[in-house]
DNA sequence: TCTTGTATTAAACATTTGTTTAAAACAAAA
DNA sequence: TTTTGTTTTAAACAAATGTTTAATACAAGA
């Protein structure tokens, strides 16, 4: 059946996701992945041609998972402050369910930047969404509701406050000796504190 | 001379720093480092015993470079808001001079968390500094000068806003197609905007 | 100059790793 | 049952990589 094929593919994808996020691209071996998937080594190349190709697919998935929802929020019709709340909520929610996603993307992008920038270059859809948001900001600035800021910097700040704690989890749990559980709760609470914090900083 | 020995050591350290930050621990090879240092491969083991040991030394250096100055700022006698400005300034200044430092530490810590947490565990000096800062916060909260916040979350926010843009540089330059030069200028400006932003968010 | 300890080199070694191969197992169609 | 195409397996291969070795060059002290 074709069902069988899909099932094996999934097993491999899941295993690869696990191993790549844990060890990085270079650190992960095809044998690690095969073992994790409980599958013969040669099957990996049979199903996915090469390690690089397999990683590309994993990366693409992670990427879509994160950015898909974000673009939705950015594109809808609510107020800026609501969009900020929406972005913060989505980012943290996604990362709470998939804490390794951030590391996977960052570790790889810092070594191989093209892997990501290719996904944005020449994407006019994205550009349109950004411009629209910037105009929305400018309007509220003129109305005296918020301080002036570029969309880029605002987005940078949101991303920083939401994503960084996940990237830095090993650091912070080490420095402040928190347990795994506490960290989840902390991030859950931060959904609102971060949004409040940003909005407070923006209020004119 | 002993001078000669130190010189070779330095050549190796510099080369290792360069290669490790660029390719990560696993991605960097001893042959890469030897080539970068323009030195025979076997010299690396002769001088530094093993790849792992060499990395440890590089990591230790990077770590001290970042945290040394930060602890200074945290330990001095200025007001909270001044300390925040001080921290932001120091972090960004260090990373502007050494943009790869952040990636080096984060990439490695996420794969090998013990490497970092070992440096904090049982360090009562650090704990003292943290507690002192927390008390300073609590006092200002009681005086109605600032909103209540834990030192940990405040530190997390500062770190996030300062460090994240360096980690995410490949992402942001890709997404918003900025040049290398622009990015430096942006971060230079952020020294004050970040501090203002944080303080605005904290003001009661 | 001879000796002795250190620095440097080219080559080799043992493992690891991504990938391929050739044979076997399996399933479905004829 | 035989055939045909697909999936799975164990083994092998070639390249890369951390480390060691054994020989040589070098510098300083006797």
């Amino acid at each position: 059946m074709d069902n069988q094929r899909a099932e094996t593919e999934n097993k491999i994808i899941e295993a690869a996701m696990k191993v790549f996020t844990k060890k990085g691209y270079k650190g992960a071996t095809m044998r690690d992945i095969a073992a994790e998937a409980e599958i013969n080594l040669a099957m990996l190349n049979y199903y996915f041609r090469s390690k690089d190709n397999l990683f590309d697919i994993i990366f693409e998935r992670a990427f879509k998972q994160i950015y898909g929802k974000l673009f939705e929020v950015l594109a809808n019709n609510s107020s800026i402050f609501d969009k900020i709340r929406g972005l913060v909520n989505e980012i943290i929610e996604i990362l709470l369910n998939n804490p390794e996603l951030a590391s996977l993307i960052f570790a790889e992008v810092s070594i191989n930047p093209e892997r990501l920038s290719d996904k944005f270059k020449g994407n006019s859809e994205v550009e349109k969404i950004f411009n629209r948001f910037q105009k929305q900001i400018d309007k509220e600035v003129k109305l005296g509701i918020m301080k002036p800021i570029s969309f880029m910097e605002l987005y940078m700040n949101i991303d920083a406050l939401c994503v960084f704690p996940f990237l830095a989890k090993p650091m912070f749990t080490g420095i402040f000796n928190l347990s795994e559980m506490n960290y989840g709760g902390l991030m859950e609470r931060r959904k609102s504190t971060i949004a409040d914090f940003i909005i407070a900083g923006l209020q004119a």
Side-chain angles (χ1 to χ4, degrees), chain A residues 10-74:
Chain A
N10 273 351
K11 262 205 299 185
I12 294 177
I13 296 253
E14 263 174 53
M17 178 79 187
K18 216 179 209 167
V19 178
F20 277 134
T21 51
K22 197 165 165 188
K23 306 207 183 182
Y25 177 73
K26 273 282 180 179
T29 75
M30 296 292 264
R31 282 164 181 83
D32 284 341
I33 297 170
E36 178 70 38
E38 292 173 314
I39 225 177
N40 186 282
L41 169 63
M43 298 283 272
L44 295 182
N45 291 284
Y46 181 73
Y47 272 79
F48 291 97
R49 206 172 68 245
S50 71
K51 183 187 183 185
D52 205 62
N53 185 240
L54 178 56
F55 184 82
D56 261 340
I57 288 165
I58 301 293
F59 188 84
E60 182 81 22
R61 279 183 155 230
F63 181 79
K64 276 197 182 136
Q65 205 174 345
I66 286 195
Y67 282 89
K69 290 217 173 175
L70 295 198
F71 285 137
E72 268 178 43
V73 175
L74 280 174

Side-chain angles (χ1 to χ4, degrees), chain A residues 11-188:
Chain A
K11 262 205 299 185
I12 294 177
I13 296 253
E14 263 174 53
M17 178 79 187
K18 216 179 209 167
V19 178
F20 277 134
T21 51
K22 197 165 165 188
K23 306 207 183 182
Y25 177 73
K26 273 282 180 179
T29 75
M30 296 292 264
R31 282 164 181 83
D32 284 341
I33 297 170
E36 178 70 38
E38 292 173 314
I39 225 177
N40 186 282
L41 169 63
M43 298 283 272
L44 295 182
N45 291 284
Y46 181 73
Y47 272 79
F48 291 97
R49 206 172 68 245
S50 71
K51 183 187 183 185
D52 205 62
N53 185 240
L54 178 56
F55 184 82
D56 261 340
I57 288 165
I58 301 293
F59 188 84
E60 182 81 22
R61 279 183 155 230
F63 181 79
K64 276 197 182 136
Q65 205 174 345
I66 286 195
Y67 282 89
K69 290 217 173 175
L70 295 198
F71 285 137
E72 268 178 43
V73 175
L74 280 174
N76 75 21
N77 281 317
S78 45
S79 74
I80 291 206
F81 290 164
D82 278 352
K83 276 185 187 168
I84 291 174
R85 282 186 217 285
L87 284 175
V88 171
N89 257 302
E90 288 296 348
I91 297 175
I92 293 183
E93 188 59 31
I94 291 168
L95 294 180
L96 274 174
N97 292 326
N98 260 313
E100 340 73 15
L101 230 54
S103 317
L104 174 72
I105 293 185
F106 274 78
E108 202 43 37
V109 169
S110 79
I111 286 172
N112 192 351
E114 298 78 27
R115 185 106 60 178
L116 185 96
S117 57
D118 286 356
K119 303 218 179 308
F120 281 97
K121 282 247 169 71
N123 187 335
S124 68
E125 188 58 37
V126 171
E127 222 167 293
K128 231 182 260 174
I129 292 176
F130 288 177
N131 285 336
R132 196 158 148 264
F133 198 117
Q134 182 66 61
K135 278 199 188 116
Q136 197 181 358
I137 292 176
D138 296 343
K139 198 186 287 176
E140 307 230 358
V141 169
K142 235 175 218 158
L143 288 171
I145 300 171
M146 65 183 284
K147 292 179 193 165
I149 190 171
S150 70
F151 167 67
M152 187 192 66
E153 286 210 63
L154 174 56
Y155 182 73
M156 203 180 251
N157 292 345
I158 294 173
D159 243 26
L161 290 168
C162 295
V163 177
F164 184 83
F166 287 94
L167 291 174
K169 184 160 94 178
M171 296 198 53
F172 283 118
T173 50
I175 296 177
F176 294 105
N177 57 328
L178 292 162
S179 74
E180 199 67 23
M181 240 197 54
N182 286 343
Y183 211 80
L186 170 66
M187 291 313 297
E188 192 63 52

